[in-house]
Short mmCIF file of all heavy atoms in Angstrom, two decimals:
data_model
loop_
_atom_site.label_atom_id
_atom_site.label_comp_id
_atom_site.label_asym_id
_atom_site.label_seq_id
_atom_site.Cartn_x
_atom_site.Cartn_y
_atom_site.Cartn_z
N ASN G 1482 94.37 115.15 97.48
CA ASN G 1482 93.99 116.54 97.71
C ASN G 1482 94.43 117.44 96.57
O ASN G 1482 93.85 118.50 96.35
CB ASN G 1482 94.62 117.03 99.02
CG ASN G 1482 94.13 116.23 100.22
OD1 ASN G 1482 92.94 116.17 100.49
ND2 ASN G 1482 95.06 115.60 100.93
N ARG G 1483 95.48 117.01 95.87
CA ARG G 1483 95.97 117.70 94.68
C ARG G 1483 96.29 116.67 93.60
O ARG G 1483 96.56 115.50 93.91
CB ARG G 1483 97.22 118.53 95.00
CG ARG G 1483 96.99 119.72 95.92
CD ARG G 1483 98.27 120.54 96.06
NE ARG G 1483 98.12 121.67 96.95
CZ ARG G 1483 97.65 122.86 96.58
NH1 ARG G 1483 97.31 123.07 95.32
NH2 ARG G 1483 97.54 123.85 97.44
N GLY G 1497 99.48 119.75 90.69
CA GLY G 1497 99.20 120.64 91.80
C GLY G 1497 97.77 121.13 91.85
O GLY G 1497 97.40 121.83 92.81
N ARG G 1499 94.19 121.65 92.79
CA ARG G 1499 93.46 121.24 93.99
C ARG G 1499 92.19 120.49 93.60
O ARG G 1499 91.49 120.88 92.66
CB ARG G 1499 93.10 122.46 94.85
CG ARG G 1499 92.50 122.10 96.19
CD ARG G 1499 92.35 123.31 97.08
NE ARG G 1499 93.64 123.84 97.49
CZ ARG G 1499 94.38 123.34 98.47
NH1 ARG G 1499 93.97 122.28 99.13
NH2 ARG G 1499 95.52 123.91 98.80
N LEU G 1549 94.86 114.85 109.09
CA LEU G 1549 96.28 114.96 108.74
C LEU G 1549 96.55 116.21 107.90
O LEU G 1549 97.55 116.91 108.11
CB LEU G 1549 96.74 113.72 107.99
CG LEU G 1549 96.74 112.41 108.77
CD1 LEU G 1549 97.16 111.25 107.87
CD2 LEU G 1549 97.67 112.49 109.98
N HIS G 1550 95.67 116.49 106.96
CA HIS G 1550 95.85 117.67 106.11
C HIS G 1550 95.89 118.94 106.96
O HIS G 1550 96.72 119.83 106.74
CB HIS G 1550 94.71 117.74 105.09
CG HIS G 1550 94.89 118.75 104.02
ND1 HIS G 1550 94.47 120.06 104.14
CD2 HIS G 1550 95.49 118.67 102.80
CE1 HIS G 1550 94.76 120.72 103.04
NE2 HIS G 1550 95.39 119.90 102.21
N LEU G 1553 99.24 118.84 109.35
CA LEU G 1553 100.48 119.03 108.60
C LEU G 1553 100.53 120.41 107.96
O LEU G 1553 101.61 121.00 107.80
CB LEU G 1553 100.61 117.94 107.53
CG LEU G 1553 100.79 116.52 108.08
CD1 LEU G 1553 100.70 115.49 106.97
CD2 LEU G 1553 102.11 116.38 108.82
N GLY G 1554 99.38 120.95 107.60
CA GLY G 1554 99.34 122.30 107.03
C GLY G 1554 99.89 123.34 107.99
O GLY G 1554 100.50 124.33 107.56
N LYS G 1555 99.70 123.13 109.29
CA LYS G 1555 100.24 124.05 110.28
C LYS G 1555 101.77 124.04 110.30
O LYS G 1555 102.39 124.95 110.84
CB LYS G 1555 99.72 123.69 111.67
CG LYS G 1555 98.21 123.83 111.82
CD LYS G 1555 97.75 123.34 113.19
CE LYS G 1555 96.24 123.44 113.34
NZ LYS G 1555 95.79 122.91 114.66
N LEU G 1556 102.35 123.00 109.72
CA LEU G 1556 103.81 122.85 109.68
C LEU G 1556 104.38 123.23 108.31
O LEU G 1556 105.53 122.94 108.02
CB LEU G 1556 104.18 121.40 110.00
CG LEU G 1556 103.57 120.81 111.27
CD1 LEU G 1556 103.94 119.34 111.40
CD2 LEU G 1556 104.02 121.59 112.50
N ASP G 1557 103.55 123.86 107.47
CA ASP G 1557 103.94 124.21 106.09
C ASP G 1557 104.23 122.97 105.27
O ASP G 1557 105.06 122.99 104.35
CB ASP G 1557 105.15 125.16 106.06
CG ASP G 1557 104.80 126.56 106.52
OD1 ASP G 1557 103.64 126.95 106.36
OD2 ASP G 1557 105.69 127.25 107.05
N LEU G 1558 103.52 121.87 105.59
CA LEU G 1558 103.60 120.65 104.80
C LEU G 1558 102.26 120.44 104.11
O LEU G 1558 101.22 120.34 104.77
CB LEU G 1558 103.91 119.45 105.70
CG LEU G 1558 105.27 119.44 106.40
CD1 LEU G 1558 105.35 118.28 107.39
CD2 LEU G 1558 106.40 119.35 105.38
N ASP G 1559 102.29 120.40 102.79
CA ASP G 1559 101.07 120.24 102.01
C ASP G 1559 100.86 118.75 101.73
O ASP G 1559 101.66 118.12 101.03
CB ASP G 1559 101.20 121.01 100.68
CG ASP G 1559 99.86 121.18 99.98
OD1 ASP G 1559 98.88 120.56 100.41
OD2 ASP G 1559 99.81 121.94 98.99
N LEU G 1560 99.82 118.16 102.32
CA LEU G 1560 99.51 116.76 102.10
C LEU G 1560 98.83 116.63 100.74
O LEU G 1560 97.63 116.88 100.60
CB LEU G 1560 98.61 116.23 103.22
CG LEU G 1560 98.20 114.76 103.13
CD1 LEU G 1560 99.42 113.84 103.15
CD2 LEU G 1560 97.24 114.40 104.25
N VAL G 1561 99.60 116.23 99.75
CA VAL G 1561 99.11 116.15 98.37
C VAL G 1561 98.20 114.94 98.19
O VAL G 1561 97.10 115.05 97.65
CB VAL G 1561 100.30 116.10 97.39
CG1 VAL G 1561 99.82 115.93 95.95
CG2 VAL G 1561 101.14 117.35 97.53
N ASP G 1562 98.66 113.77 98.63
CA ASP G 1562 97.85 112.56 98.57
C ASP G 1562 98.40 111.55 99.57
O ASP G 1562 99.50 111.74 100.12
CB ASP G 1562 97.79 111.98 97.15
CG ASP G 1562 99.17 111.72 96.55
OD1 ASP G 1562 100.10 111.37 97.30
OD2 ASP G 1562 99.33 111.84 95.32
N CYS G 1586 102.68 108.74 101.43
CA CYS G 1586 101.98 109.98 101.13
C CYS G 1586 102.93 110.94 100.42
O CYS G 1586 104.15 110.80 100.51
CB CYS G 1586 101.40 110.63 102.38
SG CYS G 1586 102.63 111.26 103.53
N ARG G 1587 102.37 111.88 99.68
CA ARG G 1587 103.18 112.95 99.09
C ARG G 1587 103.08 114.18 99.97
O ARG G 1587 101.98 114.60 100.35
CB ARG G 1587 102.69 113.30 97.67
CG ARG G 1587 103.20 112.37 96.60
CD ARG G 1587 102.88 112.90 95.19
NE ARG G 1587 103.46 112.04 94.19
CZ ARG G 1587 102.87 110.93 93.71
NH1 ARG G 1587 101.66 110.60 94.16
NH2 ARG G 1587 103.47 110.18 92.81
N LEU G 1588 104.24 114.75 100.28
CA LEU G 1588 104.31 115.95 101.09
C LEU G 1588 105.13 116.99 100.35
O LEU G 1588 106.28 116.74 99.98
CB LEU G 1588 104.97 115.65 102.44
CG LEU G 1588 104.18 114.74 103.40
CD1 LEU G 1588 105.05 114.35 104.58
CD2 LEU G 1588 102.91 115.43 103.87
N TRP G 1589 104.53 118.15 100.13
CA TRP G 1589 105.25 119.25 99.49
C TRP G 1589 105.53 120.34 100.53
O TRP G 1589 104.67 120.68 101.35
CB TRP G 1589 104.43 119.85 98.35
CG TRP G 1589 104.34 118.95 97.15
CD1 TRP G 1589 105.03 117.80 96.93
CD2 TRP G 1589 103.49 119.14 96.01
NE1 TRP G 1589 104.68 117.27 95.71
CE2 TRP G 1589 103.75 118.06 95.13
CE3 TRP G 1589 102.56 120.11 95.64
CZ2 TRP G 1589 103.09 117.93 93.90
CZ3 TRP G 1589 101.90 119.99 94.42
CH2 TRP G 1589 102.17 118.91 93.56
N ASP G 1590 106.74 120.86 100.48
CA ASP G 1590 107.18 121.89 101.41
C ASP G 1590 106.71 123.25 100.91
O ASP G 1590 107.15 123.74 99.87
CB ASP G 1590 108.72 121.86 101.51
CG ASP G 1590 109.25 122.76 102.60
OD1 ASP G 1590 108.45 123.50 103.22
OD2 ASP G 1590 110.48 122.75 102.82
N ARG G 1591 105.81 123.85 101.67
CA ARG G 1591 105.27 125.16 101.28
C ARG G 1591 106.31 126.28 101.40
O ARG G 1591 106.10 127.38 100.91
CB ARG G 1591 104.05 125.50 102.13
CG ARG G 1591 102.84 124.62 101.85
CD ARG G 1591 101.70 124.93 102.79
NE ARG G 1591 100.52 124.12 102.50
CZ ARG G 1591 99.47 124.04 103.30
NH1 ARG G 1591 99.44 124.70 104.45
NH2 ARG G 1591 98.44 123.28 102.96
N ARG G 1592 107.45 125.97 102.06
CA ARG G 1592 108.50 126.96 102.20
C ARG G 1592 109.41 127.00 100.97
O ARG G 1592 110.32 127.83 100.89
CB ARG G 1592 109.34 126.66 103.45
CG ARG G 1592 108.52 126.69 104.73
CD ARG G 1592 109.30 126.19 105.93
NE ARG G 1592 108.46 126.06 107.12
CZ ARG G 1592 108.84 125.55 108.28
NH1 ARG G 1592 110.09 125.11 108.42
NH2 ARG G 1592 108.00 125.47 109.30
N ARG G 1600 111.12 120.92 97.03
CA ARG G 1600 109.75 120.94 97.54
C ARG G 1600 109.28 119.55 97.96
O ARG G 1600 108.49 119.40 98.90
CB ARG G 1600 108.81 121.52 96.48
CG ARG G 1600 107.36 121.55 96.92
CD ARG G 1600 106.45 122.20 95.91
NE ARG G 1600 106.27 121.37 94.72
CZ ARG G 1600 105.27 121.55 93.85
NH1 ARG G 1600 104.40 122.53 94.04
NH2 ARG G 1600 105.15 120.77 92.80
N LEU G 1602 109.19 116.20 99.81
CA LEU G 1602 109.71 115.65 101.05
C LEU G 1602 109.19 114.23 101.26
O LEU G 1602 108.86 113.84 102.38
CB LEU G 1602 109.32 116.54 102.23
CG LEU G 1602 109.89 117.96 102.23
CD1 LEU G 1602 109.34 118.77 103.41
CD2 LEU G 1602 111.41 117.94 102.26
N ASP G 1603 109.15 113.45 100.20
CA ASP G 1603 108.56 112.12 100.26
C ASP G 1603 109.32 111.17 99.34
O ASP G 1603 110.39 111.50 98.84
CB ASP G 1603 107.08 112.18 99.87
CG ASP G 1603 106.88 112.87 98.53
OD1 ASP G 1603 107.32 112.31 97.50
OD2 ASP G 1603 106.29 113.96 98.50
N ARG G 1624 109.67 118.59 111.91
CA ARG G 1624 108.50 119.47 111.98
C ARG G 1624 107.37 118.81 112.77
O ARG G 1624 106.68 119.48 113.57
CB ARG G 1624 108.02 119.83 110.57
CG ARG G 1624 109.01 120.69 109.81
CD ARG G 1624 108.39 121.30 108.58
NE ARG G 1624 109.42 121.74 107.64
CZ ARG G 1624 109.17 122.33 106.48
NH1 ARG G 1624 107.92 122.56 106.11
NH2 ARG G 1624 110.17 122.68 105.67
#
Side-chain angles (χ1 to χ4, degrees):
N1482 299 301
R1483 292 185 181 274
R1499 187 172 292 280
L1549 294 178
H1550 190 271
L1553 295 171
K1555 296 175 182 178
L1556 309 175
D1557 288 332
L1558 295 173
D1559 194 351
L1560 180 60
V1561 176
D1562 55 33
C1586 67
R1587 278 190 176 86
L1588 293 170
W1589 288 351
D1590 188 355
R1591 292 175 178 169
R1592 300 172 187 174
R1600 179 176 71 162
L1602 296 176
D1603 54 66
R1624 294 194 199 181

